[in-house]
Amino acid sequence: MSTTAPDPLATLGALPGVADAVDSVRKAVDRVYGHRVMRRRSNEVTAEAALRGARGSAALSGADWNLEEVRRRTDFSGDDESQVIGAALRLTAEAGQLLSIWRQSPLRVLARLHLVAAGGAAPDDAVGRPRLAGEPVDEPLIEAPLPSADEVAGRLEGLSGLILAGSAAPALVTAAVVHGELLALRPFGSYNGLVARTAERIVLIGSGLDPKSICPAEVGHAEQGRAAYVAAFEGYLSGTPEGMAAWIGHCGRAVELGVRESTAVCEALQRGAA
């Protein structure tokens, strides 16, 4: 008698409230994709969403710059905040190039994302690989206990296995779990938050939910605020059904706020104001 292994991501999708969050996100995404501006100017919306997403992700990592300052600047090699902004911009530019690799080797993509984020700012031997025992982690927002290097290695393999095995779970659930697990592990010595949010973006794009990358969840995470982000993440860390559902719901709301941002961009383009 053969048995089918349980799908843990699909199990999360069945938690109370998660189906409603998934449905709400899908309806919001469908609305912005149906905007008349998307027929001819979707590339402009994608570019603007990338810029605004990078700004939002950087804000959560402590570099809360005005959007126009991010747009204006060309040199991000100065102080720590400048480097965070530069890393976020590089990551959003890279995300769309890694979709095919993600489906074959998620760990290779994560290593590449850290390499791109670091941009030469970290020692060469610490870039693009999970941290070793005793190596420090610089992550200004997340103060949860740090898993050991051995636990990181095991859980990264587990996360990779889930992605490679595929799942019947909605894209929002998979994206939220990837995001939350990377925040929990903080596998690299730096830029873990930026990498985690970029990985969430990759899942949302690659799943087909947001193929043109016009729904920047990073905008929504930043708009909800750092305190709400940390509180929702604590729900993920708890591992309880209620906590996991709260984290997935928070990520869903972030996508919806990203949709609202891009809808405003579409309206501005339609008026000829952007």
Side-chain angles (χ1 to χ4, degrees):
M1 178 179 177
S2 63
T3 58
T4 302
D7 182 344
L9 294 177
T11 300
L12 292 177
L15 291 174
V18 171
D20 289 340
V22 168
D23 185 56
S24 184
V25 166
R26 167 54 69 188
K27 288 177 179 176
V29 172
D30 285 347
R31 283 195 299 271
V32 71
Y33 269 83
H35 197 288
R36 62 186 299 176
V37 164
M38 289 295 296
R39 298 173 195 168
R40 296 184 180 178
R41 305 182 70 178
S42 63
N43 288 344
E44 294 173 68
V45 181
T46 295
E48 190 65 21
L51 181 71
R52 295 180 185 217
R55 194 217 71 82
S57 191
L60 287 171
S61 288
D64 192 0
W65 287 19
N66 179 278
L67 179 63
E68 294 311 313
E69 178 67 8
V70 177
R71 196 191 304 279
R72 181 186 66 82
R73 287 281 288 270
T74 57
D75 181 8
F76 299 98
S77 61
D79 58 20
D80 289 346
E81 286 195 6
S82 298
Q83 291 178 23
V84 168
I85 295 285
L89 288 168
R90 290 191 297 273
L91 284 171
T92 55
E94 188 79 3
Q97 310 302 314
L98 297 172
L99 296 176
S100 61
I101 303 173
W102 176 261
R103 298 184 186 103
Q104 300 171 4
S105 179
L107 299 185
R108 182 180 164 195
V109 169
L110 294 176
R112 173 63 183 170
L113 291 177
H114 186 243
L115 183 68
V116 168
D124 288 347
D125 64 352
V127 173
R129 62 155 174 80
R131 55 187 167 81
L132 304 177
E135 290 184 335
V137 172
D138 178 16
E139 183 54 50
L141 183 58
I142 305 301
E143 298 179 353
L146 200 64
S148 70
D150 286 344
E151 183 179 352
V152 167
R155 286 172 64 176
L156 281 177
E157 287 292 342
L159 181 63
S160 176
L162 279 178
I163 295 165
L164 293 175
S167 172
L172 173 64
V173 173
T174 303
V177 168
V178 168
H179 182 171
E181 189 68 357
L182 292 174
L183 278 185
L185 295 178
R186 281 147 289 162
F188 303 110
S190 58
Y191 299 116
N192 288 288
L194 295 179
V195 168
R197 291 184 288 275
T198 305
E200 178 185 50
R201 172 185 282 264
I202 289 172
V203 173
L204 294 172
I205 299 169
S207 67
L209 177 65
D210 181 22
K212 293 183 182 294
S213 191
I214 62 166
C215 307
E218 305 95 324
V219 168
H221 287 303
E223 187 170 334
Q224 291 178 90
R226 299 178 90 195
Y229 184 74
V230 171
F233 173 62
E234 287 173 354
Y236 179 86
L237 285 178
S238 75
T240 65
E242 297 81 9
M244 295 296 289
W247 171 248
I248 294 167
H250 182 88
C251 291
R253 180 60 178 157
V255 175
E256 291 187 66
L257 290 170
V259 167
R260 188 176 72 179
E261 188 86 356
S262 286
T263 300
V265 170
C266 287
E267 294 295 330
L269 289 169
Q270 186 169 291
R271 294 192 305 268

